């Protein structure tokens, strides 16, 4: 049996996560302080829960115990590389799982767990509990992009991450969106799909829109704010603020939806609600959205997800000539390379673009005169 497990407490509507030592029934202080730090920094409950899982797995790793935690940073570079590399393979084999499942854990998931653990060690180092890990010897510079947004470029020495498969999540196509819209049986589902396609918001962000505060009805703009008290636990990622203008036609559809369901909507302030059954009038949750999309797939044969609609937004804006930095800001990406991946800008496309550039701008530097 694993020694460490997650303990959950509720403070109002906020869940707090702690790591508990089952042998002593004590809270493990440093990991629990880190999790509270993340909760206080307005990280989403799902993010904090994932961090708690990652740290709990690490503490249960046979080559690691709570008493040795602060000694890891004192190991040599080679010892740390071996230590964390073996942790990855321990995860891949599924030995962190306590039930009877035998399936291996995917490489990408294992890498994500390790990155969470590294984040915890960075917190320990930043707060003086231990020295920085040698395998995370960061070199970093801060640069500004074309619209003045600063970002930090970091390089780290740890090279032991497992090779990941490409997600290959494609962008939704306009005909597919139209077919699904026609197959929907109510205004709510149609409006939800329209707003996902026209804003590029994440599903948690859309479900967190407050129709009394977050819609500028004069300018036809939707806004995303972080809140930690939404009844459906929807959150804006990274505690960020963004806004998106929608088309006149979709805005009129939004007004029609508000009028159609005004009696149910009056029970609370979130835009998207359950419209049938005992929970009618209560905020719609993420799992209900996926249930609806599964029904639409059975009905039409078209697979559609909120993430595919988000990629549709990115690709359609790029095709319309938007700069990468504008798309990055609209999507709420911290890093431009994430936006590039969304757009599917692959090496061969970059090579084609480079070749066309040099064909148009031959002898760019007057090289012929130098020969």
């Amino acid at each position: 049996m694993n020694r460490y497990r997650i303990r959950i407490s509720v403070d109002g509507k906020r869940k707090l996560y702690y790591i508990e030592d089952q042998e002593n029934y004590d809270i493990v202080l440093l990991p629990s302080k880190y999790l509270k730090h993340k909760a206080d920094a307005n990280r989403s409950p799902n993010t904090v829960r994932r961090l708690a899982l990652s740290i709990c797995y690490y503490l249960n790793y046979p080559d690691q115990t709570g008493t040795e935690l602060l000694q890891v940073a004192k190991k040599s570079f080679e010892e740390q590389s071996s230590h964390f590399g073996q942790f990855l393979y321990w995860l891949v084999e599924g030995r962190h799982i306590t039930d009877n499942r035998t399936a291996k854990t995917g490489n990408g998931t294992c890498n994500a767990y390790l990155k969470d653990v590294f984040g915890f060690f960075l917190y320990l180092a930043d707060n003086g509990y231990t020295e920085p890990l040698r395998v995370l010897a960061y070199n970093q510079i801060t640069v500004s992009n074309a619209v003045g947004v600063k970002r930090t470029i970091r390089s780290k020495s740890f090279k032991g991450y497992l090779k990941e498969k490409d997600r290959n999540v494609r962008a939704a196509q306009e005909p597919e969106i139209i077919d699904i819209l026609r197959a929907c049986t109510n205004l709510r589902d149609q409006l939800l799909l329209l707003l996902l396609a026209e804003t590029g918001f994440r599903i948690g962000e859309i479900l967190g829109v407050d129709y009394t505060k977050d819609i500028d009805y004069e300018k036809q703009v939707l806004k995303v704010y972080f809140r930690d008290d939404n009844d459906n636990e929807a959150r804006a990622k990274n505690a960020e603020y963004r806004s998106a203008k929608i088309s006149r036609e979709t805005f009129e559809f939004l007004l029609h939806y508000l009028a159609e369901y005004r009696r149910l909507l009056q029970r609370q302030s979130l835009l998207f609600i359950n419209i049938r059954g005992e929970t009618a009038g209560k905020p719609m949750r993420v799992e209900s959205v996926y249930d609806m999309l599964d029904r639409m797939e059975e009905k039409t044969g078209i697979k559609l997800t909120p993430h595919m609609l988000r990629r549709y937004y990115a690709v359609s804006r790029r095709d319309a000539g938007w700069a990468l930095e504008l798309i990055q800001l609209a999507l709420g990406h911290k890093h431009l390379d994430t936006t590039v991946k969304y757009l599917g800008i692959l090496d061969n496309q970059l090579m084609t673009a480079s070749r066309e550039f040099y064909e148009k701008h031959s002898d760019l530097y007057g090289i012929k005169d130098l020969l």
Side-chain angles (χ1 to χ4, degrees):
M1 184 182 73
N2 287 331
R3 176 175 174 178
Y4 300 95
R5 68 178 181 183
I6 298 172
R7 180 194 290 183
I8 303 173
S9 68
V10 179
D11 179 14
K13 292 185 177 181
R14 186 174 73 157
K15 289 182 180 179
L16 295 176
Y17 293 86
Y18 303 91
I19 304 296
E20 180 182 58
D21 182 344
Q22 295 186 81
E23 290 187 1
N24 303 310
Y25 297 99
D26 290 333
I27 295 296
V28 185
L29 181 61
L30 292 179
S32 299
K33 286 184 67 174
Y34 174 65
L35 296 173
K36 188 174 186 304
H37 161 73
K38 288 297 183 181
D40 291 343
N42 286 335
R43 300 303 296 271
S44 75
N46 285 337
T47 297
V48 179
R49 178 180 177 276
R50 191 201 68 228
L51 294 172
L53 280 172
S54 300
I55 295 171
C56 207
Y57 292 151
Y58 179 67
L59 292 177
N60 284 314
Y61 172 44
D63 191 35
Q64 172 61 44
T65 67
T67 56
E68 297 173 351
L69 184 63
L70 299 181
Q71 302 301 315
V72 175
K74 296 182 180 180
K75 294 176 180 285
S76 68
F77 176 88
E78 291 76 14
E79 288 173 330
Q80 288 181 15
S81 295
S82 175
H83 173 76
F84 291 113
Q86 291 301 317
F87 173 59
L88 280 174
Y89 285 106
W90 182 77
L91 291 170
V92 167
E93 293 298 326
R95 293 160 65 186
H96 59 296
I97 300 172
T98 56
D99 58 26
N100 295 322
R101 286 182 294 165
T102 57
K104 293 185 177 181
T105 307
N107 288 2
T109 301
C110 295
N111 289 340
Y113 289 148
L114 180 56
K115 290 173 183 177
D116 289 341
V117 171
F118 282 156
F120 172 51
F121 273 100
L122 288 171
Y123 166 83
L124 294 178
D126 288 345
N127 287 275
Y129 293 110
T130 186
E131 59 190 84
L133 291 176
R134 290 176 172 82
V135 293
L136 290 183
Y138 277 99
N139 295 314
Q140 64 183 49
I141 58 172
T142 300
V143 297
S144 298
N145 63 21
V147 293
V149 176
K150 292 184 178 180
R151 66 188 183 105
T152 300
I153 300 175
R154 293 170 173 167
S155 61
K156 55 182 178 291
S157 52
F158 185 72
K159 304 297 182 183
Y161 288 117
L162 302 170
K163 183 175 178 58
E164 300 181 25
K165 293 182 179 179
D166 293 334
R167 292 182 65 187
N168 292 326
V169 178
R170 65 177 181 85
Q173 302 297 312
E174 190 170 312
E176 294 175 325
I177 299 172
I178 293 173
D179 287 344
I180 294 292
L181 285 170
R182 290 173 175 170
C184 289
T185 57
N186 60 73
L187 297 177
R188 181 204 62 187
D189 295 345
Q190 291 172 323
L191 178 64
L192 178 66
L193 296 175
L194 285 169
L195 292 183
L196 285 170
E198 288 202 4
T199 64
F201 289 170
R202 301 174 179 92
I203 184 59
E205 294 169 337
I206 282 288
L207 293 182
V209 169
D210 183 326
Y211 69 88
T212 68
K213 300 177 181 177
D214 298 344
I215 302 176
D216 186 326
Y217 291 91
E218 181 178 352
K219 297 180 180 179
Q220 302 175 7
V221 170
L222 263 68
K223 304 171 185 178
V224 166
Y225 293 96
F226 178 87
R227 298 188 182 90
D228 61 4
D229 59 351
N230 288 335
D231 290 337
N232 59 1
E233 297 187 357
R235 303 290 188 274
K237 190 174 181 180
N238 301 325
E240 63 193 6
Y241 162 77
R242 299 201 319 284
S243 62
K245 185 173 178 60
I246 60 176
S247 67
R248 179 175 57 83
E249 293 79 8
T250 295
F251 180 74
E252 290 177 355
F253 197 94
L254 167 63
L255 296 179
H256 182 45
Y257 163 82
L258 292 173
E260 181 72 17
Y261 296 109
R262 63 185 181 279
R263 292 182 179 177
L264 291 176
L265 287 164
Q266 287 173 355
R267 301 180 185 181
Q268 49 78 61
S269 60
L270 293 183
L271 179 61
F272 289 104
I273 55 171
N274 298 327
I275 57 178
R276 297 189 183 91
E278 296 180 356
T279 61
K282 292 187 177 180
M284 190 178 189
R285 302 178 73 90
V286 171
E287 53 266 28
S288 298
V289 177
Y290 283 97
D291 288 343
M292 178 270 289
L293 291 172
D294 287 343
R295 293 194 300 272
M296 291 301 101
E297 183 178 0
E298 292 179 3
K299 190 173 182 179
T300 65
I302 299 172
K303 175 71 173 179
L304 195 66
T305 67
H307 197 65
M308 291 169 64
L309 289 168
R310 189 162 152 80
R311 291 202 175 215
Y312 161 80
Y313 174 90
V315 171
S316 62
R317 270 53 181 181
R318 178 62 173 172
D319 291 344
W322 282 30
L324 284 176
E325 290 85 358
L326 284 178
I327 300 173
Q328 175 192 4
L329 290 173
L331 294 173
H333 286 158
K334 284 188 174 181
H335 305 292
L336 190 60
D337 57 352
T338 305
T339 309
V340 171
K341 290 178 182 178
Y342 262 59
L343 295 168
I345 301 178
L346 305 176
D347 287 344
N348 59 347
Q349 292 175 287
L350 290 172
M351 293 303 103
T352 299
S354 296
R355 185 184 66 251
E356 292 175 351
F357 177 84
Y358 288 126
E359 288 175 353
K360 292 180 179 179
H361 303 276
S362 59
D363 197 17
L364 190 62
Y365 308 105
I367 295 175
K368 291 180 180 180
D369 296 333
L370 301 178
L371 297 176

